[in-house]
């Protein structure tokens, strides 16, 4: 997205959708080519050269998680290194309105704030965030930054709101506030409401009724309140819409758009090996918002499965929490799970170890540090052999999917195992020897210890096998992985169905054991794909404006449009979430369900 020039469309976000018949309107505001008469105070002499140590070599002398503007505190991680101060870029954009522009290098980020031309801010990486060095830029704006523990107080020159207006647009609703100078604001939203707090007071000509009166297309209600040198605007809107706040210069304006067309086209080289893109892609006559992270894996950019609790496999948590806990810079939700008992339902493999095994021969994707990939329907069973020569098939490993037979649970599952079904019999094996047989209690009750160097065999409707597994019996497990070449890959994740294989659309849900209802569903989707040049695409696809989510086949077509020659569907619906630098970028966080596992991107970038 380019910096706006005089005479261009007021909103390049809406203007980009003109091909869909959606046109931005200005509500009578004009763009003037004259320079602002307001002089911005300078806090330091920008012409005097200073010797500053390279950011990558400066330790983080102070860190925090919140910033207070006026009486409002917003969640923005910040970090001070030497005499430089950085703020996490996506939370900064979300809450304080610095608009990130397209970029071609990760160490410099162009931003817009009440300006026609973007300013370039240096970056550094730490603890899962990309920080923008705002030291000199903030001084130019007259901001004062005061750390207080883990909070940073931000003070800026106050302004005056001289006028306000609202109008219904073909694409939604627009609110415009005229201000006498660039003013700091903070913004917060949930699924159906927003609060905009400006460090400004109303001027004598400001009439709040021009904002609060009238019907909206997407806007349901609006209130304006003033207190303590701040103006606060609260609005409610339909759950299919999203608000966006942005600024314009000459004259200075703050604009709030509420629309179902909520994706700003972006192409930002965010980190080494990481490209952030978002756009609308059309299948048939229906446009879908597609948020993407493109990855070029290397020793410095790794993709690994993550899950909610490092000490046990059962459990679910928001992807944002999971990513932050693991200090991942990027994350996407991954495999399926049972939301009721919070157990995994698909393949998870990390560092050559099966964390959870595949089920029902569903699709899985695997990769290794050499940027080699494999995509196939996957199965894994084990043959259990006793010293007496008896053998049994072990159906699944560390899985919430149960059927009659034998399940295998290792210490990766956790310290203990709780029965999933009634009537289970638990065989404890340590050092390849049966040491205990236990009739289990009812499903969901009891906790049975898993030996750190052993495992549990859980017999379900198969008590006859217990006779061949008396205490003291020596046993051995032999894996049977199909296709066998997946053993050559240290990392894998399961999902399904396979969307694209060798450039051809597959999307055969029934062949992978999914229900007819699942196969026909139109819903938000997450997917992973591989391109011809060996890059990975992590994609989240949401509702078409005012309409439905994509079907599996439409998702496959979108992945192929992006250039994927192989692609796998991941868990979708409320699970579909794409995380970047502390922020869920494909939807509002309050609409995201908790998930069992995801894929995290770990970057060895300059710290």
């Amino acid at each position: 997205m380019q910096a706006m020039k005089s005479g261009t469309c007021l909103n390049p976000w809406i203007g980009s959708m003109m091909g869909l018949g959606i046109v931005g309107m200005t509500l009578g505001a004009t763009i003037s080519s004259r320079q602002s008469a307001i002089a911005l105070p300078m806090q330091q002499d920008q012409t005097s050269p200073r010797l500053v140590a390279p950011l990558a070599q400066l330790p983080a002398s102070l860190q925090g998680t919140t910033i207070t503007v006026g009486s409002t505190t917003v969640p923005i991680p910040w970090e001070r290194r030497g005499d430089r101060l950085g703020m996490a870029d996506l939370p900064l954009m979300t809450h304080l309105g610095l608009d990130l522009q397209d970029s071609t290098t990760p160490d410099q980020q162009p931003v817009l704030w009440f300006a026609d031309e973007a300013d370039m801010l240096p970056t550094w990486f730490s603890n899962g965030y990309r920080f923008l060095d705002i030291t000199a830029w903030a001084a130019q704006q007259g901001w004062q930054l005061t750390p207080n523990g883990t909070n940073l107080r931000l003070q800026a020159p106050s302004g005056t709101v001289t006028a306000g207006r609202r109008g219904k647009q073909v694409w939604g609703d627009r609110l415009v506030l005229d201000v006498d100078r660039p003013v700091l604001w903070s913004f917060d939203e949930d699924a159906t409401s927003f609060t905009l707090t400006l460090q400004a007071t109303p001027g004598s000509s400001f009439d709040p009724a021009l904002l609060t009166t009238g019907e909206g297309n997407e806007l349901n209600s609006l209130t304006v309140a003033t207190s303590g040198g701040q103006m606060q605007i609260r609005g409610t809107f339909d759950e299919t819409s999203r608000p966006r706040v942005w600024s314009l210069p000459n004259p200075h304006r703050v604009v709030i758009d509420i629309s179902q067309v909520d994706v700003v086209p972006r192409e930002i080289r965010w980190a080494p090996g990481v490209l952030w893109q978002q756009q609308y892609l059309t299948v048939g006559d229906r446009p879908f918002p597609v948020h993407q992270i493109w990855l070029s894996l290397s020793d410095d950019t790794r993709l690994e499965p993550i899950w909610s609790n490092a000490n046990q496999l059962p459990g679910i948590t928001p992807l944002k929490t999971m990513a932050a806990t693991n200090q991942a810079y990027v994350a996407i939700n991954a495999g399926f799970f049972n939301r009721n008992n919070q157990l995994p339902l698909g393949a998870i493999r990390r560092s050559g170890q099966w964390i959870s095994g595949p089920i029902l021969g569903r699709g899985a994707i695997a990769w290794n540090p050499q940027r080699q990939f494999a995509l196939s329907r996957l199965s894994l069973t084990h043959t259990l052999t006793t010293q007496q020569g008896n053998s049994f098939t072990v159906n699944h490993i560390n899985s919430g999917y149960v059927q009659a037979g034998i399940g295998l649970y290792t210490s990766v599952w956790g310290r203990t195992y709780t029965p999933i079904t009634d009537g289970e019999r638990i065989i404890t094996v340590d050092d390849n020897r049966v040491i205990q047989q236990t009739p289990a209690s009812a499903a969901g009750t009891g906790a049975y210890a898993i030996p750190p160097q052993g495992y549990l065999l859980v017999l379900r409707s198969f008590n006859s096998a217990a006779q061949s597994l008396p205490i003291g019996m020596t046993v051995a497990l032999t894996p049977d992985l199909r296709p066998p070449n997946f053993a050559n890959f240290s990392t894998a994740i399961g999902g399904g169905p396979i969307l694209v294989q060798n450039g051809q659309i597959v999307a055969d849900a029934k062949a992978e054991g999914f229900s007819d209802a699942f196969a026909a569903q139109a819903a938000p989707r997450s997917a992973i794909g591989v391109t011809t040049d060996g890059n990975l695409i992590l994609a989240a696809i949401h509702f078409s404006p005012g309409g439905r989510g994509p079907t599996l086949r439409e998702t496959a077509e979108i992945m192929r449009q992006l250039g994927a020659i192989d692609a796998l569907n991941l868990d979708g619906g409320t699970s579909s979430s794409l995380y970047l630098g502390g922020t869920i970028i494909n939807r509002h966080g309050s609409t995201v369900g908790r998930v069992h596992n995801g894929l995290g991107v770990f970057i060895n970038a300059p710290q």
Side-chain angles (χ1 to χ4, degrees):
M1 187 166 61
Q2 301 299 316
M4 289 176 289
K5 302 292 185 180
S6 297
T8 60
C9 174
L10 251 182
N11 191 344
W13 167 59
I14 297 297
S16 69
M17 296 301 295
M18 291 180 66
L20 305 177
I22 300 173
V23 182
M25 299 178 68
T26 67
L27 291 180
T30 60
I31 299 178
S32 171
S33 59
R34 61 182 172 82
Q35 295 297 312
S36 169
I38 304 295
L40 299 182
M42 300 290 290
Q43 297 296 311
Q44 63 186 42
D45 183 1
Q46 297 298 311
T47 63
S48 301
R50 294 185 302 139
L51 295 178
V52 178
L55 293 176
Q57 299 177 13
L58 290 172
S61 54
L62 281 177
Q63 294 177 326
T65 55
T66 59
I67 293 178
T68 297
V69 180
S71 60
T72 303
T73 298
V74 289
I76 302 177
W78 57 273
E79 189 173 275
R80 193 176 78 181
R81 296 192 169 195
D83 64 349
R84 318 303 289 174
L85 194 139
M87 296 182 184
D89 59 349
L90 273 88
L92 183 62
M93 179 175 69
T94 300
H95 294 290
L96 295 187
L98 271 71
D99 197 11
L100 306 184
Q101 302 295 287
D102 291 355
S103 65
T104 57
T105 177
D107 58 359
Q108 294 281 328
Q109 176 58 53
V111 300
L112 275 181
W113 191 71
F114 290 102
D116 286 324
E117 299 288 347
D119 292 305
M120 300 296 291
L121 301 184
T123 68
W124 74 78
F125 298 84
S126 177
N127 299 323
Y129 299 101
R130 186 178 75 155
F131 291 93
L132 302 184
D133 179 4
I134 67 162
T135 313
W137 184 88
Q140 291 176 347
Q141 313 309 317
W143 294 5
Q144 294 181 348
L145 307 169
T146 307
N148 181 18
T150 60
N151 180 257
L152 180 71
R153 175 163 288 280
L154 197 166
Q155 294 175 294
S158 181
T160 301
V161 180
T162 59
R165 54 197 174 276
R166 65 181 285 175
K168 295 170 66 174
Q169 313 294 319
V170 293
W171 42 261
D173 298 282
R174 170 168 287 168
L175 310 172
V176 179
L177 298 167
D178 294 338
V179 291
D180 66 339
R181 58 163 298 127
V183 296
L184 194 61
W185 77 75
S186 59
F187 185 71
D188 195 21
E189 64 167 310
D190 60 25
T192 58
S193 67
F194 69 85
T195 301
L196 175 69
T197 304
L198 296 104
Q199 302 305 300
T201 56
S204 58
S205 61
F206 175 75
D207 182 0
L210 296 178
L211 285 173
T212 59
T213 305
E215 294 185 358
N217 289 325
E218 308 295 332
L219 186 64
N220 295 326
S221 67
L222 195 77
T223 61
V224 178
T226 303
S227 176
Q230 298 182 145
M231 177 180 289
Q232 199 163 73
I233 298 173
R234 292 188 175 95
T236 63
F237 51 88
D238 293 341
E239 63 181 5
T240 57
S241 301
R242 288 289 300 275
R244 176 179 178 245
V245 186
W246 49 292
S247 61
L248 285 170
N250 304 323
H252 301 304
R253 281 152 290 162
V254 178
V255 184
I256 310 171
D257 286 332
I258 302 98
S259 174
Q260 295 177 351
V261 185
D262 62 348
V263 172
V264 179
R266 298 190 193 279
E267 184 171 328
I268 294 176
R269 187 70 60 176
W270 194 81
V274 178
L275 175 68
W276 169 25
Q277 284 190 328
Q278 55 189 42
Q279 66 200 108
Y280 281 90
L281 292 177
T282 300
V283 180
D285 60 354
R286 188 179 296 275
F288 291 100
V290 185
H291 300 259
Q292 313 136 52
I293 298 295
W294 290 64
L295 299 175
S296 179
L297 300 185
S298 67
D299 291 340
D300 293 326
T301 305
R302 299 174 291 110
L303 180 69
E304 295 182 358
I306 55 177
W307 51 94
S308 59
N309 190 330
N311 298 316
Q312 64 178 39
L313 209 49
I316 58 177
T317 195
L319 181 72
K320 183 176 180 179
T321 303
M322 188 186 304
T325 300
N326 286 274
Q327 295 189 359
Y329 286 87
V330 179
I332 191 170
N333 70 290
F336 296 97
F337 60 97
N338 185 314
R339 194 170 292 279
N340 293 324
N341 60 23
Q342 305 184 4
L343 302 180
L345 296 173
I348 307 173
R349 180 172 169 86
R350 190 172 76 178
S351 301
Q353 181 181 26
W354 288 105
I355 307 302
S356 182
I359 67 170
L360 298 170
R362 289 179 175 171
I365 186 170
W367 59 96
N368 61 24
Q370 290 73 44
R371 296 178 67 191
Q372 298 171 324
F373 305 92
L375 176 72
S376 177
R377 294 179 58 188
L378 184 66
S379 68
L380 172 64
T381 60
H382 288 77
T383 299
L384 176 71
T385 305
T386 72
Q387 69 187 71
Q388 300 297 329
N390 296 314
S391 62
F392 304 92
T393 298
V394 178
N395 297 319
H396 303 102
I397 177 172
N398 294 335
S399 179
Y401 182 78
V402 295
Q403 61 182 155
I406 303 176
L408 171 65
Y409 295 87
T410 71
S411 58
V412 173
W413 186 263
R415 293 183 178 180
T416 62
Y417 166 83
T418 297
I420 302 174
T421 61
D422 293 335
E424 296 178 351
R425 180 173 289 272
I426 297 176
I427 311 295
T428 305
V429 178
D430 195 11
D431 194 24
N432 297 319
R433 187 179 300 274
V434 176
I435 63 170
Q436 189 173 356
Q437 278 202 21
T438 310
S441 50
T445 62
Y448 300 87
I450 302 175
Q453 304 302 320
Y455 51 86
L456 300 184
L457 298 170
V458 178
L459 279 55
R460 302 182 178 109
S461 301
F462 196 28
N463 284 336
S464 59
Q467 300 174 9
S468 300
L469 298 168
I471 294 174
M473 178 66 69
T474 299
V475 296
L477 283 171
T478 304
D480 181 13
L481 179 65
R482 301 183 185 184
N485 69 312
F486 263 64
N488 301 325
F489 296 88
S490 58
T491 314
I493 198 73
I498 292 172
L499 298 171
V500 180
Q501 193 161 32
N502 298 322
Q504 301 299 311
I505 290 179
V506 181
D508 190 346
K510 188 173 183 179
E512 297 188 21
F514 291 99
S515 67
D516 291 340
F518 177 89
Q521 188 179 30
R525 304 281 180 185
S526 295
I528 181 172
V530 183
T531 66
T532 54
D533 53 3
N535 289 323
L536 282 175
I537 306 169
L538 308 180
I541 309 163
H542 219 259
F543 295 113
S544 179
R548 58 171 175 79
T551 64
L552 286 170
R553 191 162 189 87
E554 287 169 335
T555 304
E557 179 58 39
I558 288 170
M559 294 303 290
R560 195 163 64 168
Q561 285 187 38
L562 290 174
I565 56 170
D566 291 319
L568 178 70
N569 184 61
L570 302 172
D571 193 12
T574 60
S575 296
S576 181
S577 41
L578 185 59
Y579 169 98
L580 177 66
T583 300
I584 298 294
I585 60 174
N586 67 306
R587 63 198 302 174
H588 189 271
S590 66
T591 68
V592 179
R594 295 181 296 167
V595 298
H596 178 273
N597 60 82
L599 293 172
V601 178
F602 300 89
I603 300 171
N604 297 327
Q607 297 292 305

